């Protein structure tokens, strides 16, 4: 496995809609990418990572909403071509952050429960409910596949201020 570089805004791939993984792409090479993404997510550390964040414009994500030092509590999912097929009417608010947007957080309102249809790296289909924090994580990562980051949920003023601050920080490094 390999730790991959995580792209930061305003990298253009982060604002593109990711393409579906085709049937002939499932198997060993896709599983390698999923495993590399998993290692990258754990090292970052994070609870989710979408393929566009590593420069791959395909509908691939990994999540572990139970990610902590205790491996027995991990809840790792390799998710390919996810589609939210059903959701609750009630919502939940949570202060989210993102590996591609350092030093930024935003309180978001998300569906409390989502039913996601997806495949794993071998092409096996699943349909699963995610609830509370896992639902927040999977919705956040699916946003990435649609080219949407937390900054797109912010006001134009906040987004521009953040981008200027990051540009200034990068010039100093």
């Amino acid at each position: 496995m390999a730790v991959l570089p995580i792209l930061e805004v305003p990298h253009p791939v982060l604002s593109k809609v990711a393409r579906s993984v085709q049937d002939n792409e499932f198997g060993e090479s896709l599983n390698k990418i999923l495993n590399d993404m998993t290692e990258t997510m754990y090292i970052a550390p994070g609870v989710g990572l979408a393929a566009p964040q590593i420069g791959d414009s395909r509908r691939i994500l990994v999540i572990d909403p139970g990610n902590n030092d205790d491996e027995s509590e991990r809840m790792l999912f390799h998710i390919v071509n996810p589609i939210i097929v059903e959701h609750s009417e009630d919502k939940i608010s949570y202060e989210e952050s993102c590996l591609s947007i350092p030093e930024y957080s935003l309180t978001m309102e998300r569906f409390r429960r989502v039913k996601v249809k997806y495949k794993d790296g071998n092409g096996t289909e699943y349909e699963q409910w995610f609830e509370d924090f896992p639902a927040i994580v999977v919705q956040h990562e699916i946003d990435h596949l649609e080219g949407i980051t937390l900054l797109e949920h912010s006001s134009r003023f906040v987004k521009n201020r953040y981008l200027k601050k990051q540009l200034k920080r990068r010039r100093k490094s």
Side-chain angles (χ1 to χ4, degrees):
M1 291 195 286
V3 176
L4 307 167
I6 297 173
L7 303 178
E8 294 181 6
V9 296
H11 196 285
V13 76
L14 295 171
S15 60
K16 285 181 157 178
V17 175
R19 72 166 179 84
S20 294
V21 173
Q22 302 303 304
D23 289 341
N24 64 348
E25 296 177 274
F26 287 90
E28 189 176 331
S29 65
L30 182 58
N31 280 312
K32 180 180 180 342
I33 291 166
L34 286 160
N35 289 330
D36 289 348
M37 287 175 63
T38 299
E39 184 171 356
T40 302
M41 174 187 67
Y42 286 142
I43 296 289
V47 293
L49 186 67
Q53 293 178 275
I54 56 148
D56 187 330
S57 252
R58 292 184 290 173
R59 299 185 74 77
I60 303 167
L61 57 94
V62 296
I63 65 167
D64 184 348
N67 183 11
N68 60 44
D69 292 333
D70 184 354
E71 288 189 26
S72 68
E73 293 184 27
R74 289 192 170 161
M75 300 169 39
L76 177 63
F77 295 92
H78 287 175
I79 299 176
V80 181
N81 295 340
I83 301 168
I84 295 175
V85 293
E86 195 175 337
H87 60 77
S88 63
E89 292 303 314
D90 59 325
K91 296 190 175 182
I92 184 171
S93 292
Y94 191 82
E95 186 174 347
E96 298 181 28
S97 59
C98 180
L99 296 173
S100 291
I101 312 173
E103 302 171 15
Y104 183 78
S105 64
L106 179 67
T107 300
M108 291 287 299
E109 192 173 78
R110 305 268 190 191
F111 295 113
R112 181 178 295 279
R113 295 180 71 224
V114 291
K115 187 178 193 180
V116 180
K117 183 178 179 180
Y118 66 95
K119 294 182 179 183
D120 65 14
N122 295 316
T124 304
E125 283 195 26
Y126 297 88
E127 203 168 88
Q128 178 163 348
W129 280 100
F130 293 89
E131 188 170 347
D132 296 323
F133 185 64
I136 291 166
V137 175
V138 77
Q139 289 172 86
H140 175 107
E141 299 308 328
I142 289 174
D143 271 0
H144 276 295
L145 303 180
E146 297 300 324
I148 299 168
T149 68
L150 286 179
L151 287 179
E152 275 65 53
H153 292 286
S154 305
S155 70
R156 186 180 309 164
F157 174 77
V158 169
K159 179 179 178 178
N160 289 337
R161 185 177 66 189
Y162 175 83
L163 292 172
K164 284 178 186 175
K165 179 181 162 187
Q166 289 306 103
L167 183 60
K168 191 174 185 180
R169 179 184 62 90
R170 288 182 188 143
R171 285 184 184 149
K172 286 183 180 179
S173 6

